[in-house]
Amino acid sequence: MDWYKFSRRSFLSRSLVASSFLLAPDILKSLKASSIAEVEFAKRDPLLFAERNGIVNPIHKIILTGIVAPNSHNSQPWKIKILSDKQFELYADGNRQLLPIDPVNRQLYHTQGTFIEFALVASEHLGYDLKIQLFPQGIDKAQSIGTLPVAKFTLSDKKRSNLNSCGFYEAIQNRQMNRGEYSGDYLGEDLGQEILSLVEPKFSSLVFVFGQNRIQEIIPMFQRSFEREISNPIQNNVSREWFRISKEDIYTKRDGITLEGNGLKQPILWIAKTFFMDMSEEGWNSEDSVKQANESFAKSLETSKGFVFLVSRGLDDAKSWVQAGREFGRLTLACAKLGIAFHTMNQAFVDTKESKETHDEFKKSLNLPKDARIQLAGRMGYASASFVSPRRELKEFML
Ligand SMILES: Cc1cc2nc3c(=O)[nH]c(=O)nc-3n(C[C@H](O)[C@H](O)[C@H](O)COP(=O)(O)O)c2cc1C
């Protein structure tokens, strides 16, 4: 997925519609800068946000931190059932699946894992032990996602006095998907070691690709996978469905993906929104739009300064996807802590028929054993901060 879609078709009619929704005074009024700042504050420092807003229950604070985790398409597919002051359950939200690009729910379960890891980071920061039971009642059938809990959390009664934190909570401030262009030097093995010692993977391994020549070999593989996905209208429509364009849409729905999150800056951003976004199914999948999306993805990809692959071995089931998601969450925090920009790109590793080939191509290039499964991958580099993607209000997640 990459979400620049500028088509020149129906230019005039779209520009009229777009400029009216961009400028309507009642909308501008309802989107006061302060409310946007609050949404950003909650994303960057959920525990302080809780404190400032009179939220005292540690479980609520932990959940507020869980929801700022990276998640597929910013679909935020989490549901929470609070059982007591000390216990809550996490469910996958079956209404927020992305089946055309995630037919077996691999990414849905990765996304449960990222929530779990961020919840743990919060409890650690607050000084509590948090016990996690995965799938305490078994695993949902594919047709009834969201029926059984993915995890049950139990908070310790007492706070610990010996806080043993690796600084991941502070890293949340700077963690984001940075899809823009990267600059500076190529990254090297030392950084790989630093990341490894922070992530401490137990269920997966991290495979790094450093060095300009190797990076240049890998780039076309990512590009081809991206192109394949966006050239398939059924898969490409997932991004269309989750794309939020106007400020009103972004900050009322508070989910989904945006041009801003794709690294677009003013004045190009305004021009794109006002004149070139075509959200019709035909426009979104037009040759013009697909070409444009490919080019902008290529422009960012070309500036990659290193790649990292999160690889599991053996069992490849819902539980292993949750565990991979947890380690992916830690990987994103490790990068943020070290000041490294990170952008995950997973078109090659989804479970569609076509991606089996691309997955195998990567496996071969990385010299991975037969039973290895690449769960997730990303590019790394240096870049200034990008857009702060919003999260919905806490009450939206409650069962
Ligand atoms: C399992 C998973 C798969 C993802 N796949 C992609 C991807 O292929 N391309 C991409 O740009 N972002 C991908 N993302 C990143 C999400 O889009 C991003 O986390 C979300 O929009 C929220 O933004 P934030 O991470 O900046 O908070 C993925 C995230 C997860 C957890």
Side-chain angles (χ1 to χ4, degrees), residues 143-201:
Q143 62 277 18
S144 55
I145 290 288
T147 313
L148 300 172
V150 172
K152 182 172 175 180
F153 299 74
T154 308
L155 200 64
S156 61
D157 286 331
K158 290 211 181 93
K159 279 191 165 193
R160 275 183 282 116
S161 50
N162 59 328
L163 289 184
N164 171 27
S165 159
C166 67
F168 272 175
Y169 183 76
E170 291 75 9
I172 284 179
Q173 289 250 358
N174 304 320
R175 192 218 54 85
Q176 58 180 190
M177 282 306 138
N178 198 322
R179 303 185 182 88
E181 292 174 37
Y182 296 169
S183 58
D185 292 339
Y186 282 94
L187 306 172
E189 299 291 345
D190 291 357
L191 178 84
Q193 284 309 319
E194 274 188 273
I195 291 178
L196 265 176
S197 65
L198 284 168
V199 178
E200 295 182 325

Side-chain angles (χ1 to χ4, degrees), residues 1 43 70-71 74 175 177 179 343-344 346 389 391:
M1 66 182 121
K43 167 86 187 311
N71 64 92
N74 201 19
R175 192 218 54 85
M177 282 306 138
R179 303 185 182 88
H343 170 202
T344 188
N346 296 301
S389 82
R391 296 296 187 269

